[in-house]
Amino acid sequence: MNIAVCVKQIPDPAAPGRLDPNTFNLVREGKLVMDDSDSYGVEMALQLVDRAGGGEVTLISMAPNGETSGLRTALAMGAAKAVLVSDPALGGSDALSTAKVLAAAILRNPFDMVITATESTDGYTGTVPVQIAEILGLPAVSFAKKVTLDGNKAMIERQSESGYDEVACELPAVVSVTAGVVEPRYPSFKGIMAAKSKPIETLSLSDLGLSADQVGAAGAREAIVSLRKAEARQAGQIIEDDGEAFAKIIEYLEQLKVV
Amino acid sequence: MSGSIWVLIEDQEGIASTTSLELLSAAHHFASEVVGVAFSKDGERLAKSLEPYGLTRLYNVEAERSSLPGVVLSAAMADLVKGSAEPPRAILCAQSYTGRDTLARLSVKLDLPVLTNVVNLFEQDGELMAEHAIFGGEEIVTSNFTHQGVRLFGVRAKSFAVEESDARQVAVESVKVEGLGAIDGAKVVASYSEERSGPKLDEAAVVVSGGRGLGQPENYAMVEELAKLLNAAPGASRAIVDAGWVPYAYQVGQTGKTVKPNLYIAVGISGATQHMVGMKGSKNIVAINKDKDAPIFQIADLGVVGDAHKVLPKLIDALKQR
Ligand SMILES: Cc1cc2nc3c(=O)[nH]c(=O)nc-3n(C[C@H](O)[C@H](O)[C@H](O)COP(=O)(O)OP(=O)(O)OC[C@H]3O[C@@H](n4cnc5c(N)ncnc54)[C@H](O)[C@@H]3O)c2cc1C
Ligand SMILES: Nc1ncnc2c1ncn2[C@@H]1O[C@H](COP(=O)(O)O)[C@@H](O)[C@H]1O
């Protein structure tokens, strides 16, 4: 069982985000970290490979600036190796270009399954995983909350509007997993040390046979034209509970005619 | 106003989902003709439910029922677009499970980009402009397309009001998709519902949501009790959905439901940007949190700095005595 896991490296989500006022691209200064949402996919993949009794987990990432620190975190969790696509021309890539790049990178190694998160923390289009599947001509099960293997099929519980569906899926396939699907492990000290010497293959666009006009801002064919502050909601009254706050809430409910 | 717009109609137990109706209502502002595309067991019944909304035609896709809807809908839409002398100006899908899957596959089939998480559309110099909220709804970005093809939009629920249009009969046209090959290798073998009785989360006039500040799964019972007393729907932050306290169907926020009730009560919820995008549109907001610096207080009309375990029991008791 070989699994490719897409791992996005993003600016620290705790730091306030900012768009460049000229290009409207997300400012990506400083160190990037592994998107927390992807830690679930890494863990899921490690467990599936473990249960299958063989194979390995390969990380796939695209980042404009050669960043590897987020990949090192996932390697420390136990992934075997990583493929990083890095090229200045990738700045401003939209979801479709991203999917084209990731799909080409995934094809470098044999795989039975591709795992992604349902959506990235900074981009959250939620379309990249299924775009990858369509490019590769594969089935996809998005929003998986439980994944098990049954011969050459994956049995997946997929979230639905009202509950969940049980889906039987032929392999190879693309699966996007929700947070909470598994509890991601913390990298051990041994894992962190081992990660330092694990291979990260860094590729440029031309290594993948893609040209610069297919990706990045040039290939996006969509543009941000303006940016404005949303109407701020005014904060209202704040009270400290002195044991009687419940009465204030009831008063407010009466005012709204909720009670 | 020229050209048609196609809308993905999601069939929920035989009738169109509320979000589909929102998209139909929006489409009328930008198109001379609005067409629906659905994957329904009973296209005629679905069409009947759509009569008040002014669409001329409903393409209903015929395929194996166990196929994932996104696979067959995207295949049908791509065939229809490619085979059409006058392709639609735009295709609107909800930012739902089926909507996202459909848009993702369609964008590859047509080699066209998608604008996602759209919360508003308007027209400028004949071009469709899309707004979406970033940084937890603090800023609004306006984008458009720079290509010549069909505009593909993923629209968030509750972005548009449902408006009836000129009522008319809806002609149903069957569209067959066959021989999909490997992409159709995922099949639904069973469906389970986790919804409970009471008002629906995204339709309720009052929503009471609980978060990690409740401390323990058992304490969610207080949220449910309060909800019951107020004829409200119980909701949740993702933290307690991920922790398995309540089913995913309860989740409010970016990856959960968007709610716009008359009153939203947040208990033990910090107010992360991803939670706030799903409830910021509520008319009135009450927050109970023991941390006076919790971000949720920045948008609350009434903020109570206090311990949920002290405030809720008293509130529930007082309401019971009324
Ligand atoms: C891509 C992505 C998508 C996401 N989508 C969603 C989404 O759809 N919905 C969502 O909710 N989140 C979402 N999140 C998660 C979000 O970032 C937060 O982690 C989550 O909302 C936090 O939930 P919480 O407020 O319950 O928990 P916490 O942030 O842990 O907050 C708990 C709060 O309870 C308070 N508290 C503690 N004890 C008490 C007490 N006794 N009485 C009163 N108050 C108390 C604390 O002061 C604190 O403010 C998403 C995250 C990502 C990365
Ligand atoms: N640049 C990237 N590198 C690696 N994985 C990515 C990248 N962009 C998106 N993904 C994967 O696709 C998922 C969905 O991304 P998005 O469609 O941007 O919400 C992410 O959570 C990742 O698992």
Side-chain angles (χ1 to χ4, degrees), chain B residues 134-201:
Chain B
I134 57 167
F135 305 141
E138 269 169 46
E139 295 190 44
I140 308 283
V141 164
T142 304
S143 309
N144 65 3
F145 291 107
T146 55
H147 62 76
Q148 297 305 314
V150 185
R151 274 85 180 100
L152 305 178
F153 296 106
V155 183
R156 293 195 64 90
K158 299 263 177 355
S159 298
F160 298 97
V162 175
E163 294 162 5
E164 298 200 349
S165 191
D166 303 331
R168 58 193 302 168
Q169 251 191 329
V170 184
V172 182
E173 207 170 302
S174 258
V175 185
K176 276 210 169 62
V177 293
E178 284 162 341
L180 291 170
I183 59 166
D184 195 24
K187 300 286 178 188
V188 178
V189 292
S191 293
Y192 301 91
S193 181
E194 288 176 333
E195 259 174 332
R196 302 214 196 151
S197 54
K200 281 182 114 162
L201 181 54

Side-chain angles (χ1 to χ4, degrees), chain A residues 13 31 101 118 123 130 135-136 199 206 217 222 230 238 259:
Chain A
K31 227 171 93 162
V101 170
T118 53
V130 178
I135 292 166
L136 297 175
S206 56
E222 60 184 61
I238 309 263
V259 292

Side-chain angles (χ1 to χ4, degrees), chain B residues 40-236:
Chain B
S40 171
K41 238 185 341 219
D42 188 345
E44 294 296 338
R45 176 166 173 216
L46 184 64
K48 197 103 196 106
S49 80
L50 291 168
E51 278 176 4
Y53 302 99
L55 66 167
T56 48
R57 198 173 347 157
L58 178 69
Y59 289 118
N60 190 34
V61 184
E62 276 184 41
E64 218 182 301
R65 291 306 310 169
S66 61
S67 291
L68 293 181
V71 173
V72 297
L73 281 160
S74 58
M77 285 181 183
D79 286 351
L80 287 166
V81 167
K82 287 177 184 163
S84 166
E86 269 178 86
R89 172 179 199 196
I91 298 179
L92 309 184
C93 300
Q95 188 89 13
S96 57
Y97 304 116
T98 293
R100 275 196 245 213
D101 283 9
T102 305
L103 283 169
R105 289 198 182 270
L106 186 60
S107 92
V108 174
K109 289 178 199 286
L110 300 178
D111 193 24
L112 290 173
V114 189
L115 283 171
T116 45
N117 287 302
V118 172
V119 295
N120 188 29
L121 288 168
F122 63 95
E123 199 157 17
Q124 192 177 322
D125 302 328
E127 180 56 50
L128 278 174
M129 315 295 288
E131 291 188 338
H132 85 263
I134 57 167
F135 305 141
E138 269 169 46
E139 295 190 44
I140 308 283
V141 164
T142 304
S143 309
N144 65 3
F145 291 107
T146 55
H147 62 76
Q148 297 305 314
V150 185
R151 274 85 180 100
L152 305 178
F153 296 106
V155 183
R156 293 195 64 90
K158 299 263 177 355
S159 298
F160 298 97
V162 175
E163 294 162 5
E164 298 200 349
S165 191
D166 303 331
R168 58 193 302 168
Q169 251 191 329
V170 184
V172 182
E173 207 170 302
S174 258
V175 185
K176 276 210 169 62
V177 293
E178 284 162 341
L180 291 170
I183 59 166
D184 195 24
K187 300 286 178 188
V188 178
V189 292
S191 293
Y192 301 91
S193 181
E194 288 176 333
E195 259 174 332
R196 302 214 196 151
S197 54
K200 281 182 114 162
L201 181 54
D202 47 0
E203 284 164 15
V206 181
V207 172
V208 185
S209 285
R212 187 144 47 195
L214 291 170
Q216 282 178 8
E218 300 79 66
N219 292 335
Y220 189 79
M222 289 193 290
V223 167
E224 282 177 317
E225 194 168 6
L226 179 59
K228 203 158 187 186
L229 288 163
L230 299 175
N231 191 25

Side-chain angles (χ1 to χ4, degrees), chain A residues 13 16-19 24 26 36-37 40 94-96 99-100 118-143 145 153 155-172 174 178-181 183 218-254 256-259, chain B residues 10 12-13 68-69 71 74 95-98 100-117 120 129 131-147 156 182-195 206 226 229-230 238 241-242 248-249 254-255 257 262-263 265 274 277 279-286 288 292 297-307 310-311 314-315 318-319 322:
Chain A
R18 194 161 64 80
L19 296 193
F24 296 124
L26 189 66
D36 210 34
S37 306
Y40 302 93
D94 73 336
L96 182 56
K100 286 176 183 170
T118 53
E119 54 181 25
S120 60
T121 300
D122 62 341
Y124 57 94
T125 77
T127 53
V128 168
V130 178
Q131 284 170 327
I132 293 174
E134 181 70 23
I135 292 166
L136 297 175
L138 296 178
V141 183
S142 54
F143 287 86
K145 61 183 200 120
K153 272 195 178 148
M155 297 302 296
I156 295 164
E157 287 181 11
R158 176 186 197 227
Q159 268 161 13
S160 68
E161 301 297 337
S162 57
Y164 66 95
D165 291 338
E166 197 172 307
V167 179
C169 183
E170 308 277 353
L171 298 179
V174 177
T178 61
V181 66
E183 193 57 47
R221 295 170 292 159
E222 60 184 61
I224 296 181
V225 294
S226 65
L227 183 65
R228 66 178 163 87
K229 280 250 172 275
E231 259 172 70
R233 239 195 122 98
Q234 295 300 320
Q237 190 194 4
I238 309 263
I239 55 170
E240 294 263 354
D241 180 32
D242 53 0
E244 298 298 313
F246 75 94
K248 277 276 190 335
I249 298 178
I250 292 192
E251 223 173 86
Y252 186 69
L253 298 180
E254 282 171 341
L256 297 180
K257 301 206 164 58
V258 169
V259 292
Chain B
E10 293 188 46
Q12 271 176 4
E13 282 147 45
L68 293 181
V71 173
S74 58
Q95 188 89 13
S96 57
Y97 304 116
T98 293
R100 275 196 245 213
D101 283 9
T102 305
L103 283 169
R105 289 198 182 270
L106 186 60
S107 92
V108 174
K109 289 178 199 286
L110 300 178
D111 193 24
L112 290 173
V114 189
L115 283 171
T116 45
N117 287 302
N120 188 29
M129 315 295 288
E131 291 188 338
H132 85 263
I134 57 167
F135 305 141
E138 269 169 46
E139 295 190 44
I140 308 283
V141 164
T142 304
S143 309
N144 65 3
F145 291 107
T146 55
H147 62 76
R156 293 195 64 90
I183 59 166
D184 195 24
K187 300 286 178 188
V188 178
V189 292
S191 293
Y192 301 91
S193 181
E194 288 176 333
E195 259 174 332
V206 181
L226 179 59
L229 288 163
L230 299 175
R238 185 167 109 177
V241 172
D242 287 353
Y248 173 76
Q254 182 180 304
T255 28
K257 299 232 159 64
N262 179 32
L263 172 65
I265 304 180
Q274 297 93 350
V277 287
M279 45 69 75
K280 231 183 154 175
S282 306
K283 249 210 186 110
N284 302 284
I285 298 173
V286 173
I288 304 171
K292 69 173 186 356
F297 287 134
Q298 289 164 17
I299 63 162
D301 299 290
L302 176 62
V304 175
V305 182
D307 185 343
K310 297 203 176 114
V311 181
K314 284 188 190 161
L315 181 59
L319 285 169
R322 289 169 72 92

Side-chain angles (χ1 to χ4, degrees), chain A residues 6-8 38 60-62 98 102 116-120 124-129:
Chain A
C6 293
V7 170
K8 190 170 184 187
D38 283 320
I60 310 289
S61 191
M62 170 186 122
T98 304
L102 294 174
T116 70
T118 53
E119 54 181 25
S120 60
Y124 57 94
T125 77
T127 53
V128 168

